[in-house]
Coordinates of all heavy atoms in Angstrom, one line a residue:
M1 N -9.0 45.5 -35.4 CA -8.7 45.2 -34.0 C -7.6 46.0 -33.5 O -6.8 45.5 -32.6 CB -8.5 43.7 -33.9 CG -9.6 42.8 -34.3 SD -10.0 41.8 -32.9 CE -10.9 40.5 -33.7
A2 N -7.4 47.1 -34.0 CA -6.3 48.0 -33.6 C -6.4 48.4 -32.1 O -5.4 48.7 -31.4 CB -6.2 49.3 -34.4
W3 N -7.6 48.3 -31.6 CA -7.9 48.7 -30.2 C -7.1 47.8 -29.2 O -6.8 48.1 -28.1 CB -9.4 48.7 -29.9 CG -10.0 47.3 -30.0 CD1 -10.6 46.8 -31.1 CD2 -10.1 46.3 -29.0 NE1 -11.1 45.6 -30.9 CE2 -10.8 45.2 -29.6 CE3 -9.7 46.2 -27.7 CZ2 -11.0 44.0 -28.9 CZ3 -9.9 45.0 -27.0 CH2 -10.6 43.9 -27.6
R4 N -6.8 46.5 -29.6 CA -6.1 45.6 -28.8 C -4.7 46.1 -28.4 O -4.3 45.8 -27.3 CB -6.0 44.2 -29.5 CG -7.3 43.5 -29.6 CD -7.1 42.2 -30.4 NE -8.2 41.4 -30.4 CZ -8.4 40.3 -29.5 NH1 -7.5 40.0 -28.7 NH2 -9.5 39.7 -29.6
G5 N -4.1 46.8 -29.2 CA -2.8 47.4 -28.9 C -2.9 48.7 -28.1 O -1.9 49.2 -27.7
Q6 N -4.1 49.1 -27.9 CA -4.3 50.4 -27.1 C -4.6 50.2 -25.6 O -4.8 51.1 -24.9 CB -5.4 51.2 -27.7 CG -5.2 51.6 -29.2 CD -4.1 52.5 -29.3 OE1 -4.0 53.5 -28.6 NE2 -3.2 52.3 -30.3
L7 N -4.5 48.9 -25.2 CA -4.8 48.7 -23.8 C -3.9 49.5 -22.9 O -4.4 50.2 -22.0 CB -4.6 47.2 -23.4 CG -5.7 46.2 -23.9 CD1 -5.3 44.8 -23.5 CD2 -7.0 46.5 -23.3
S8 N -2.6 49.4 -23.1 CA -1.7 50.1 -22.2 C -1.7 51.6 -22.4 O -1.3 52.3 -21.5 CB -0.2 49.6 -22.5 OG 0.1 49.7 -23.8
K9 N -2.2 52.1 -23.5 CA -2.3 53.5 -23.7 C -3.6 54.1 -23.0 O -3.5 55.2 -22.4 CB -2.4 53.8 -25.2 CG -2.5 55.3 -25.5 CD -2.5 55.5 -27.0 CE -2.8 57.0 -27.3 NZ -3.0 57.3 -28.7
N10 N -4.7 53.4 -23.1 CA -5.9 53.9 -22.6 C -6.3 53.4 -21.2 O -7.2 54.0 -20.6 CB -7.1 53.5 -23.6 CG -6.9 54.2 -24.9 OD1 -6.1 55.1 -25.1 ND2 -7.6 53.7 -25.9
L11 N -5.7 52.4 -20.7 CA -6.1 51.8 -19.4 C -4.8 51.8 -18.5 O -3.7 51.8 -19.0 CB -6.6 50.4 -19.5 CG -7.8 50.2 -20.4 CD1 -8.2 48.7 -20.4 CD2 -9.0 51.0 -20.0
K12 N -5.0 51.7 -17.2 CA -3.9 51.4 -16.3 C -3.8 50.0 -15.8 O -2.8 49.5 -15.5 CB -4.1 52.3 -15.0 CG -4.0 53.8 -15.3 CD -2.6 54.1 -15.7 CE -2.4 55.6 -16.0 NZ -1.1 55.9 -16.6
E13 N -5.0 49.3 -15.9 CA -5.0 47.9 -15.4 C -6.3 47.3 -15.9 O -7.3 47.9 -16.1 CB -5.0 47.9 -13.9 CG -5.1 46.5 -13.3 CD -5.2 46.6 -11.8 OE1 -4.1 46.6 -11.1 OE2 -6.3 46.6 -11.2
L14 N -6.2 46.0 -16.2 CA -7.4 45.2 -16.6 C -7.5 44.0 -15.7 O -6.5 43.3 -15.5 CB -7.3 44.7 -18.1 CG -8.4 43.9 -18.6 CD1 -9.7 44.7 -18.7 CD2 -8.1 43.3 -20.0
R15 N -8.7 43.8 -15.1 CA -8.9 42.6 -14.2 C -10.1 41.8 -14.8 O -11.2 42.4 -15.1 CB -9.3 43.1 -12.8 CG -8.1 43.6 -12.1 CD -8.4 43.9 -10.6 NE -9.7 44.6 -10.3 CZ -9.8 45.9 -10.3 NH1 -8.8 46.7 -10.6 NH2 -11.0 46.4 -10.0
I16 N -9.9 40.5 -14.8 CA -11.0 39.6 -15.3 C -11.2 38.7 -14.1 O -10.3 38.0 -13.6 CB -10.6 38.8 -16.5 CG1 -10.3 39.8 -17.7 CG2 -11.7 37.8 -16.9 CD1 -9.7 39.1 -18.9
L17 N -12.4 38.7 -13.6 CA -12.8 37.8 -12.5 C -13.7 36.7 -13.0 O -14.6 36.9 -13.8 CB -13.6 38.6 -11.4 CG -12.9 39.6 -10.6 CD1 -12.4 40.8 -11.4 CD2 -13.8 40.1 -9.5
L18 N -13.4 35.4 -12.6 CA -14.2 34.3 -13.1 C -14.1 33.1 -12.1 O -13.2 33.1 -11.3 CB -13.7 33.9 -14.5 CG -12.2 33.6 -14.6 CD1 -12.0 32.1 -14.5 CD2 -11.8 34.0 -16.0
C19 N -15.0 32.2 -12.3 CA -15.0 31.0 -11.5 C -14.3 29.9 -12.4 O -14.6 29.9 -13.6 CB -16.4 30.6 -11.2 SG -16.5 29.0 -10.3
Q20 N -13.5 29.0 -11.8 CA -12.8 28.0 -12.5 C -13.7 26.9 -13.1 O -13.4 26.3 -14.1 CB -11.8 27.3 -11.6 CG -10.9 28.2 -10.9 CD -11.3 28.5 -9.5 OE1 -12.5 28.9 -9.3 NE2 -10.4 28.5 -8.5
S21 N -14.9 26.7 -12.5 CA -15.7 25.6 -13.0 C -17.2 25.9 -13.3 O -17.9 25.1 -13.9 CB -15.7 24.5 -11.9 OG -16.1 25.0 -10.7
S22 N -17.7 27.1 -12.9 CA -19.2 27.3 -13.1 C -19.5 27.5 -14.5 O -18.8 28.1 -15.3 CB -19.6 28.5 -12.3 OG -19.2 29.7 -12.9
P23 N -20.7 27.1 -14.9 CA -21.2 27.3 -16.3 C -21.3 28.8 -16.6 O -21.1 29.2 -17.8 CB -22.6 26.6 -16.3 CG -22.6 25.7 -15.2 CD -21.6 26.2 -14.2
A24 N -21.6 29.6 -15.6 CA -21.8 31.1 -15.9 C -20.5 31.7 -16.3 O -20.5 32.7 -17.0 CB -22.2 31.7 -14.6
S25 N -19.3 31.1 -16.0 CA -18.0 31.6 -16.4 C -17.4 31.0 -17.6 O -16.3 31.3 -18.0 CB -17.0 31.5 -15.2 OG -17.4 32.4 -14.2
S26 N -18.1 30.0 -18.2 CA -17.6 29.3 -19.3 C -17.1 30.2 -20.5 O -16.0 30.0 -21.1 CB -18.5 28.2 -19.8 OG -19.7 28.7 -20.3
A27 N -17.9 31.1 -20.9 CA -17.6 32.0 -22.0 C -16.4 32.9 -21.6 O -15.5 33.2 -22.5 CB -18.7 32.9 -22.4
T28 N -16.3 33.3 -20.4 CA -15.2 34.1 -19.9 C -13.9 33.3 -19.9 O -12.9 33.8 -20.3 CB -15.5 34.7 -18.5 OG1 -16.7 35.4 -18.5 CG2 -14.4 35.6 -18.0
R29 N -14.0 32.0 -19.5 CA -12.8 31.2 -19.5 C -12.3 31.0 -20.9 O -11.1 31.1 -21.2 CB -13.1 29.8 -18.9 CG -13.2 29.8 -17.4 CD -13.2 28.4 -16.8 NE -14.3 27.6 -17.3 CZ -15.5 27.5 -16.8 NH1 -15.9 28.3 -15.8 NH2 -16.4 26.8 -17.3
A30 N -13.2 30.7 -21.8 CA -12.9 30.6 -23.3 C -12.3 31.9 -23.8 O -11.3 31.8 -24.6 CB -14.1 30.2 -24.1
F31 N -12.8 33.0 -23.4 CA -12.3 34.3 -23.9 C -10.8 34.4 -23.4 O -9.9 34.8 -24.2 CB -13.1 35.5 -23.4 CG -12.5 36.8 -23.6 CD1 -12.6 37.4 -24.8 CD2 -11.8 37.4 -22.6 CE1 -12.0 38.7 -25.1 CE2 -11.2 38.6 -22.8 CZ -11.3 39.3 -24.1
V32 N -10.6 34.1 -22.2 CA -9.2 34.3 -21.6 C -8.3 33.3 -22.3 O -7.2 33.7 -22.8 CB -9.2 34.0 -20.1 CG1 -7.8 33.9 -19.6 CG2 -9.9 35.1 -19.4
E33 N -8.7 32.1 -22.5 CA -7.8 31.1 -23.2 C -7.5 31.5 -24.6 O -6.4 31.3 -25.0 CB -8.5 29.7 -23.2 CG -8.6 29.1 -21.8 CD -9.5 27.8 -21.8 OE1 -9.9 27.3 -22.9 OE2 -9.7 27.3 -20.7
K34 N -8.4 32.1 -25.3 CA -8.2 32.4 -26.7 C -7.5 33.8 -26.9 O -6.9 34.0 -27.9 CB -9.5 32.5 -27.5 CG -10.1 31.1 -27.7 CD -11.4 31.1 -28.4 CE -12.0 29.7 -28.5 NZ -13.3 29.8 -29.2
N35 N -7.7 34.7 -26.0 CA -7.2 36.1 -26.2 C -6.1 36.6 -25.3 O -5.4 37.6 -25.6 CB -8.4 37.1 -26.0 CG -9.4 36.8 -27.1 OD1 -9.3 37.2 -28.2 ND2 -10.5 36.1 -26.7
Y36 N -5.8 35.9 -24.2 CA -4.8 36.5 -23.2 C -3.4 36.6 -23.9 O -2.8 37.7 -23.8 CB -4.7 35.6 -22.0 CG -3.6 36.0 -21.1 CD1 -3.9 37.1 -20.2 CD2 -2.3 35.5 -21.1 CE1 -2.9 37.5 -19.3 CE2 -1.3 36.0 -20.2 CZ -1.6 37.0 -19.4 OH -0.6 37.4 -18.5
Q37 N -3.0 35.6 -24.6 CA -1.6 35.6 -25.2 C -1.5 36.8 -26.2 O -0.5 37.5 -26.2 CB -1.2 34.3 -25.8 CG -0.9 33.2 -24.8 CD -0.5 31.9 -25.5 OE1 -0.9 31.6 -26.6 NE2 0.4 31.3 -24.8
D38 N -2.5 37.0 -27.0 CA -2.4 38.0 -28.0 C -2.4 39.4 -27.3 O -1.7 40.3 -27.7 CB -3.6 37.9 -28.9 CG -3.6 39.0 -30.0 OD1 -2.6 39.2 -30.6 OD2 -4.7 39.5 -30.3
L39 N -3.3 39.6 -26.3 CA -3.4 40.9 -25.6 C -2.1 41.2 -24.9 O -1.6 42.3 -24.9 CB -4.6 40.9 -24.6 CG -6.0 40.8 -25.2 CD1 -7.0 40.6 -24.2 CD2 -6.3 42.1 -26.0
K40 N -1.5 40.2 -24.3 CA -0.3 40.4 -23.6 C 0.9 40.6 -24.5 O 1.8 41.4 -24.2 CB 0.0 39.1 -22.7 CG 1.0 39.4 -21.6 CD 0.6 40.5 -20.7 CE 1.6 40.7 -19.6 NZ 1.2 41.9 -18.7
A41 N 0.9 40.0 -25.7 CA 2.0 40.2 -26.6 C 1.9 41.6 -27.2 O 3.0 42.2 -27.4 CB 1.9 39.2 -27.8
L42 N 0.7 42.2 -27.4 CA 0.6 43.5 -27.9 C 0.8 44.6 -26.8 O 1.1 45.7 -27.1 CB -0.8 43.7 -28.4 CG -1.1 42.9 -29.7 CD1 -2.6 43.0 -30.1 CD2 -0.3 43.5 -30.9
N43 N 0.7 44.2 -25.5 CA 0.9 45.1 -24.4 C 1.7 44.4 -23.3 O 1.2 44.1 -22.2 CB -0.5 45.4 -23.8 CG -1.5 46.0 -24.8 OD1 -1.4 47.2 -25.1 ND2 -2.3 45.2 -25.4
P44 N 3.0 44.2 -23.6 CA 3.8 43.3 -22.7 C 4.0 43.8 -21.3 O 4.1 43.0 -20.4 CB 5.2 43.3 -23.4 CG 5.2 44.4 -24.4 CD 3.7 44.7 -24.7
K45 N 4.0 45.1 -21.0 CA 4.2 45.6 -19.6 C 2.9 46.0 -18.9 O 2.9 46.4 -17.8 CB 5.1 46.8 -19.7 CG 6.5 46.4 -20.1 CD 7.5 47.5 -20.0 CE 8.8 47.0 -20.6 NZ 9.9 47.5 -19.9
F46 N 1.8 45.8 -19.6 CA 0.5 46.2 -19.1 C -0.1 45.1 -18.2 O -0.1 43.9 -18.5 CB -0.5 46.4 -20.3 CG -1.9 46.7 -19.9 CD1 -2.2 48.0 -19.3 CD2 -2.9 45.8 -20.0 CE1 -3.4 48.3 -19.0 CE2 -4.2 46.2 -19.6 CZ -4.5 47.4 -19.1
P47 N -0.6 45.4 -17.0 CA -1.1 44.4 -16.1 C -2.5 43.9 -16.5 O -3.5 44.7 -16.4 CB -1.1 45.2 -14.7 CG -1.2 46.6 -15.0 CD -0.5 46.8 -16.4
I48 N -2.5 42.7 -16.9 CA -3.8 42.0 -17.1 C -3.9 40.9 -16.1 O -3.2 39.9 -16.0 CB -3.8 41.3 -18.5 CG1 -3.6 42.4 -19.6 CG2 -5.1 40.6 -18.8 CD1 -3.4 41.8 -21.0
L49 N -4.8 41.2 -15.1 CA -4.9 40.3 -14.0 C -6.1 39.4 -14.1 O -7.3 39.8 -14.4 CB -5.1 41.2 -12.7 CG -4.1 42.3 -12.5 CD1 -4.4 43.1 -11.3 CD2 -2.7 41.7 -12.4
I50 N -5.9 38.1 -14.0 CA -6.9 37.1 -14.1 C -7.2 36.6 -12.6 O -6.3 36.0 -12.0 CB -6.5 35.9 -15.0 CG1 -6.0 36.3 -16.3 CG2 -7.7 34.9 -15.1 CD1 -7.0 37.1 -17.1
R51 N -8.3 36.8 -12.1 CA -8.6 36.4 -10.7 C -9.7 35.3 -10.7 O -10.8 35.6 -11.2 CB -9.1 37.6 -9.9 CG -8.1 38.8 -9.8 CD -6.9 38.3 -9.0 NE -6.0 39.3 -8.8 CZ -4.7 39.2 -9.2 NH1 -4.3 38.2 -9.8 NH2 -3.9 40.2 -9.0
E52 N -9.3 34.2 -10.2 CA -10.2 33.0 -10.2 C -10.7 32.8 -8.7 O -9.9 32.8 -7.8 CB -9.5 31.8 -10.7 CG -9.1 31.8 -12.1 CD -8.4 30.6 -12.6 OE1 -7.6 30.0 -11.8 OE2 -8.6 30.2 -13.7
C53 N -12.0 32.6 -8.6 CA -12.5 32.4 -7.2 C -13.8 31.6 -7.4 O -14.6 31.8 -8.3 CB -12.9 33.7 -6.6 SG -13.6 33.5 -4.9
S54 N -13.9 30.5 -6.6 CA -15.0 29.6 -6.7 C -16.3 30.3 -6.5 O -16.5 31.0 -5.5 CB -14.8 28.5 -5.7 OG -15.9 27.5 -5.8
G55 N -17.3 30.2 -7.4 CA -18.6 30.7 -7.2 C -18.8 32.2 -7.6 O -19.9 32.7 -7.4
I56 N -17.7 32.9 -8.0 CA -17.8 34.3 -8.3 C -18.5 34.5 -9.6 O -18.5 33.7 -10.6 CB -16.4 35.0 -8.3 CG1 -16.6 36.5 -8.2 CG2 -15.6 34.6 -9.5 CD1 -15.3 37.2 -7.9
E57 N -19.2 35.6 -9.7 CA -19.9 36.1 -11.0 C -18.8 36.6 -11.9 O -17.9 37.4 -11.5 CB -20.9 37.2 -10.7 CG -21.5 37.7 -11.9 CD -22.4 38.9 -11.6 OE1 -22.8 39.1 -10.4 OE2 -22.7 39.7 -12.5
P58 N -18.7 36.2 -13.2 CA -17.7 36.7 -14.1 C -17.9 38.2 -14.3 O -19.0 38.7 -14.6 CB -17.9 35.9 -15.4 CG -19.3 35.4 -15.3 CD -19.7 35.3 -13.9
Q59 N -16.8 38.9 -14.2 CA -16.8 40.4 -14.4 C -15.5 40.8 -15.1 O -14.5 40.1 -15.1 CB -16.8 41.1 -13.1 CG -18.0 40.7 -12.3 CD -18.0 41.4 -10.9 OE1 -17.4 42.4 -10.7 NE2 -18.6 40.7 -9.9
L60 N -15.6 42.0 -15.7 CA -14.4 42.6 -16.4 C -14.3 44.0 -15.8 O -15.3 44.8 -15.8 CB -14.7 42.7 -17.9 CG -13.6 43.2 -18.8 CD1 -12.4 42.4 -18.8 CD2 -14.2 43.3 -20.3
W61 N -13.1 44.3 -15.3 CA -12.9 45.6 -14.7 C -11.7 46.4 -15.3 O -10.7 45.8 -15.5 CB -12.6 45.5 -13.2 CG -13.8 45.2 -12.4 CD1 -14.3 44.0 -12.1 CD2 -14.7 46.1 -11.8 NE1 -15.4 44.1 -11.3 CE2 -15.7 45.4 -11.1 CE3 -14.7 47.5 -11.7 CZ2 -16.7 46.0 -10.5 CZ3 -15.8 48.1 -11.1 CH2 -16.7 47.4 -10.4
A62 N -11.9 47.6 -15.7 CA -10.9 48.4 -16.3 C -10.6 49.6 -15.3 O -11.5 50.2 -14.8 CB -11.3 49.0 -17.6
R63 N -9.3 49.8 -15.0 CA -8.9 51.0 -14.2 C -8.3 52.0 -15.1 O -7.4 51.6 -15.9 CB -8.0 50.6 -13.1 CG -7.7 51.7 -12.2 CD -7.0 51.3 -10.9 NE -5.8 50.5 -11.1 CZ -4.6 51.0 -11.3 NH1 -4.4 52.2 -11.3 NH2 -3.6 50.1 -11.4
Y64 N -8.7 53.2 -15.0 CA -8.2 54.3 -15.8 C -7.4 55.3 -15.0 O -7.2 55.0 -13.8 CB -9.4 55.1 -16.4 CG -10.4 54.3 -17.3 CD1 -11.5 53.8 -16.7 CD2 -10.1 53.9 -18.6 CE1 -12.4 53.0 -17.5 CE2 -10.9 53.2 -19.3 CZ -12.1 52.7 -18.8 OH -12.9 51.9 -19.5
D65 N -6.9 56.3 -15.6 CA -6.2 57.4 -14.8 C -7.1 57.9 -13.7 O -8.3 57.8 -13.8 CB -5.8 58.5 -15.7 CG -4.6 58.2 -16.6 OD1 -3.7 57.5 -16.1 OD2 -4.5 58.8 -17.7
L66 N -6.5 58.5 -12.7 CA -7.1 59.1 -11.6 C -8.0 58.2 -10.8 O -8.9 58.5 -10.1 CB -8.0 60.3 -12.0 CG -7.3 61.4 -12.9 CD1 -8.2 62.4 -13.4 CD2 -6.2 62.1 -12.0
G67 N -7.7 56.9 -10.9 CA -8.3 55.8 -10.0 C -9.8 55.5 -10.5 O -10.5 54.8 -9.8
V68 N -10.2 56.0 -11.6 CA -11.5 55.7 -12.1 C -11.6 54.3 -12.6 O -10.7 53.8 -13.3 CB -11.9 56.7 -13.3 CG1 -13.2 56.3 -13.9 CG2 -11.9 58.1 -12.9
E69 N -12.6 53.6 -12.2 CA -12.8 52.2 -12.6 C -14.2 52.0 -13.2 O -15.2 52.6 -12.8 CB -12.6 51.2 -11.4 CG -11.2 51.1 -10.9 CD -11.0 50.0 -9.9 OE1 -12.0 49.4 -9.4 OE2 -9.9 49.7 -9.6
R70 N -14.3 51.1 -14.2 CA -15.6 50.7 -14.7 C -15.6 49.2 -14.8 O -14.6 48.5 -15.2 CB -15.7 51.2 -16.2 CG -16.0 52.7 -16.2 CD -16.3 53.3 -17.5 NE -17.4 52.6 -18.1 CZ -17.7 52.6 -19.4 NH1 -16.9 53.2 -20.2 NH2 -18.8 52.0 -19.9
G71 N -16.7 48.6 -14.4 CA -16.9 47.2 -14.4 C -18.1 46.7 -15.3 O -19.1 47.5 -15.4
I72 N -18.0 45.5 -15.8 CA -19.1 45.0 -16.6 C -19.3 43.5 -16.2 O -18.3 42.8 -16.0 CB -18.7 45.0 -18.1 CG1 -18.5 46.4 -18.6 CG2 -19.8 44.3 -18.9 CD1 -18.1 46.5 -20.0
R73 N -20.5 43.2 -15.9 CA -20.9 41.8 -15.6 C -20.9 41.0 -16.9 O -21.5 41.4 -17.9 CB -22.3 41.7 -15.0 CG -22.3 42.4 -13.6 CD -23.7 42.3 -13.1 NE -23.7 42.6 -11.6 CZ -24.7 42.5 -10.9 NH1 -25.9 42.1 -11.4 NH2 -24.6 42.8 -9.6
L74 N -20.3 39.8 -16.9 CA -20.1 39.0 -18.1 C -21.0 37.8 -18.1 O -21.1 37.1 -19.1 CB -18.7 38.6 -18.2 CG -17.6 39.7 -18.2 CD1 -16.2 39.1 -18.3 CD2 -17.9 40.6 -19.4
E75 N -21.8 37.5 -17.1 CA -22.7 36.4 -17.0 C -23.7 36.5 -18.1 O -24.3 37.5 -18.3 CB -23.4 36.2 -15.7 CG -24.1 35.0 -15.5 CD -24.6 34.7 -14.1 OE1 -24.3 35.5 -13.2 OE2 -25.3 33.8 -14.0
G76 N -23.8 35.4 -18.9 CA -24.8 35.4 -20.0 C -24.3 35.9 -21.3 O -25.0 35.9 -22.3
L77 N -23.0 36.5 -21.3 CA -22.5 37.0 -22.6 C -21.7 35.9 -23.3 O -21.1 35.1 -22.7 CB -21.6 38.2 -22.3 CG -22.2 39.4 -21.6 CD1 -21.1 40.5 -21.5 CD2 -23.4 39.9 -22.4
S78 N -21.7 36.0 -24.6 CA -20.9 35.1 -25.5 C -19.4 35.7 -25.5 O -19.2 36.8 -25.1 CB -21.4 35.1 -26.9 OG -21.3 36.3 -27.5
E79 N -18.5 34.9 -26.1 CA -17.1 35.4 -26.3 C -17.1 36.6 -27.1 O -16.3 37.6 -26.8 CB -16.3 34.3 -26.9 CG -15.9 33.1 -26.1 CD -15.1 32.1 -26.8 OE1 -14.0 32.5 -27.2 OE2 -15.6 31.0 -26.9
A80 N -17.9 36.7 -28.2 CA -17.9 37.9 -29.0 C -18.4 39.1 -28.3 O -17.9 40.2 -28.4 CB -18.8 37.6 -30.2
Q81 N -19.4 38.9 -27.4 CA -19.9 40.0 -26.6 C -18.9 40.5 -25.6 O -18.8 41.7 -25.3 CB -21.2 39.6 -25.9 CG -22.4 39.4 -26.9 CD -23.6 38.8 -26.3 OE1 -23.5 37.9 -25.5 NE2 -24.8 39.3 -26.6
I82 N -18.1 39.5 -25.0 CA -17.1 39.9 -24.1 C -16.0 40.7 -24.8 O -15.5 41.7 -24.3 CB -16.5 38.6 -23.4 CG1 -17.6 38.0 -22.5 CG2 -15.2 39.0 -22.6 CD1 -17.2 36.6 -22.0
T83 N -15.6 40.3 -26.0 CA -14.7 41.0 -26.8 C -15.1 42.4 -27.0 O -14.4 43.4 -26.9 CB -14.4 40.3 -28.1 OG1 -13.9 39.0 -27.8 CG2 -13.4 41.1 -29.0
K84 N -16.4 42.6 -27.4 CA -17.0 43.9 -27.7 C -17.0 44.7 -26.4 O -16.7 46.0 -26.4 CB -18.4 43.7 -28.2 CG -19.1 45.0 -28.4 CD -18.5 45.8 -29.6 CE -19.4 47.0 -29.9 NZ -18.7 48.3 -30.0
A85 N -17.3 44.1 -25.2 CA -17.3 44.9 -24.0 C -15.9 45.4 -23.6 O -15.8 46.5 -23.2 CB -17.8 43.9 -22.8
L86 N -14.9 44.6 -23.9 CA -13.5 45.0 -23.6 C -13.2 46.1 -24.6 O -12.5 47.1 -24.2 CB -12.5 43.8 -23.8 CG -11.1 44.2 -23.6 CD1 -10.8 44.9 -22.3 CD2 -10.2 42.9 -23.8
E87 N -13.5 46.0 -25.9 CA -13.3 47.0 -26.8 C -13.9 48.4 -26.4 O -13.3 49.4 -26.5 CB -13.8 46.6 -28.2 CG -13.6 47.7 -29.3 CD -14.1 47.2 -30.6 OE1 -14.7 46.2 -30.8 OE2 -14.0 48.1 -31.6
D88 N -15.1 48.3 -25.9 CA -15.8 49.5 -25.5 C -15.1 50.1 -24.3 O -15.0 51.4 -24.2 CB -17.3 49.2 -25.1 CG -18.1 48.8 -26.3 OD1 -17.7 49.1 -27.4 OD2 -19.2 48.3 -26.1
L89 N -14.6 49.3 -23.3 CA -13.9 49.8 -22.2 C -12.6 50.5 -22.6 O -12.2 51.6 -22.1 CB -13.6 48.7 -21.2 CG -14.7 48.2 -20.4 CD1 -14.3 47.0 -19.6 CD2 -15.3 49.3 -19.5
V90 N -11.9 49.9 -23.6 CA -10.6 50.5 -24.1 C -10.9 51.8 -24.8 O -10.2 52.8 -24.6 CB -9.9 49.5 -25.0 CG1 -8.7 50.2 -25.7 CG2 -9.4 48.3 -24.3
K91 N -11.9 51.8 -25.6 CA -12.3 53.1 -26.3 C -12.7 54.2 -25.4 O -12.5 55.4 -25.6 CB -13.3 52.8 -27.4 CG -12.7 52.0 -28.6 CD -13.8 51.8 -29.6 CE -13.1 51.0 -30.8 NZ -14.1 50.7 -31.8
A92 N -13.4 53.8 -24.3 CA -13.8 54.8 -23.3 C -12.6 55.4 -22.6 O -12.7 56.5 -22.2 CB -14.8 54.1 -22.2
G93 N -11.5 54.6 -22.5 CA -10.3 55.1 -21.9 C -9.7 56.2 -22.7 O -9.0 57.1 -22.1
A94 N -9.9 56.2 -24.0 CA -9.4 57.3 -24.8 C -10.0 58.6 -24.5 O -9.4 59.7 -24.6 CB -9.5 57.0 -26.3
A95 N -11.3 58.6 -24.0 CA -12.0 59.8 -23.7 C -11.9 60.2 -22.2 O -12.4 61.3 -21.8 CB -13.5 59.6 -24.0
T96 N -11.2 59.4 -21.4 CA -11.1 59.6 -19.9 C -10.0 60.7 -19.7 O -9.0 60.6 -20.3 CB -10.7 58.3 -19.2 OG1 -11.7 57.4 -19.4 CG2 -10.6 58.6 -17.7
P97 N -10.2 61.7 -18.9 CA -9.2 62.7 -18.6 C -7.9 62.1 -18.1 O -8.0 61.2 -17.3 CB -9.9 63.6 -17.5 CG -11.3 63.3 -17.5 CD -11.5 61.9 -18.1
K98 N -6.8 62.5 -18.5 CA -5.5 62.0 -18.1 C -4.9 62.8 -17.0 O -5.2 64.0 -16.9 CB -4.5 62.0 -19.3 CG -5.0 61.3 -20.6 CD -5.2 59.8 -20.3 CE -5.6 59.2 -21.6 NZ -6.4 58.1 -21.5
A99 N -4.2 62.2 -16.1 CA -3.6 62.8 -15.0 C -2.4 63.6 -15.4 O -1.7 63.4 -16.4 CB -3.1 61.8 -13.9

């Protein structure tokens, strides 16, 4: 899980969008509850933004250098699949051209 410490190196910002109460966002809420503190401890100055909005589809957005963004829909994914999606976004940041 060394990739967890690479958030601030490979990304500029991470945004997690979710609904506070919908069943579609339940795995995303659980992921945030279990992983936010660890991710923030490993990347203390890195912006991890949690955006809650009633009725929104759960999504994960990564912003890279040069304003490049990639988003992933999280509806129907398990916590393990969300973790893998985040890992893939972080690893993709290592291959993104730097400014």
Side-chain angles (χ1 to χ4, degrees):
M1 298 238 201
W3 64 268
R4 289 177 172 260
Q6 299 296 312
L7 286 178
S8 57
K9 180 180 175 189
N10 295 344
L11 306 177
K12 293 295 181 187
E13 177 184 275
L14 178 66
R15 289 187 315 275
I16 301 172
L17 288 68
L18 56 96
C19 176
Q20 306 94 316
S21 58
S22 76
S25 290
S26 62
T28 305
R29 285 192 304 274
F31 171 81
V32 169
E33 290 171 8
K34 291 180 182 176
N35 295 284
Y36 177 82
Q37 286 184 326
D38 182 45
L39 292 172
K40 197 61 180 175
L42 292 170
N43 304 278
K45 296 184 184 222
F46 179 73
I48 301 174
L49 309 174
I50 311 299
R51 299 293 183 238
E52 296 177 323
C53 181
S54 182
I56 195 168
E57 175 186 341
Q59 300 175 32
L60 183 64
W61 285 90
R63 185 167 52 88
Y64 304 98
D65 280 330
L66 305 173
V68 175
E69 290 190 349
R70 288 186 57 198
I72 297 176
R73 292 178 166 187
L74 302 178
E75 188 170 354
L77 299 184
S78 67
E79 286 180 60
Q81 291 170 318
I82 293 171
T83 300
K84 177 68 172 133
L86 177 56
E87 179 181 0
D88 291 345
L89 289 173
V90 171
K91 289 180 178 178
T96 302
K98 306 294 183 215

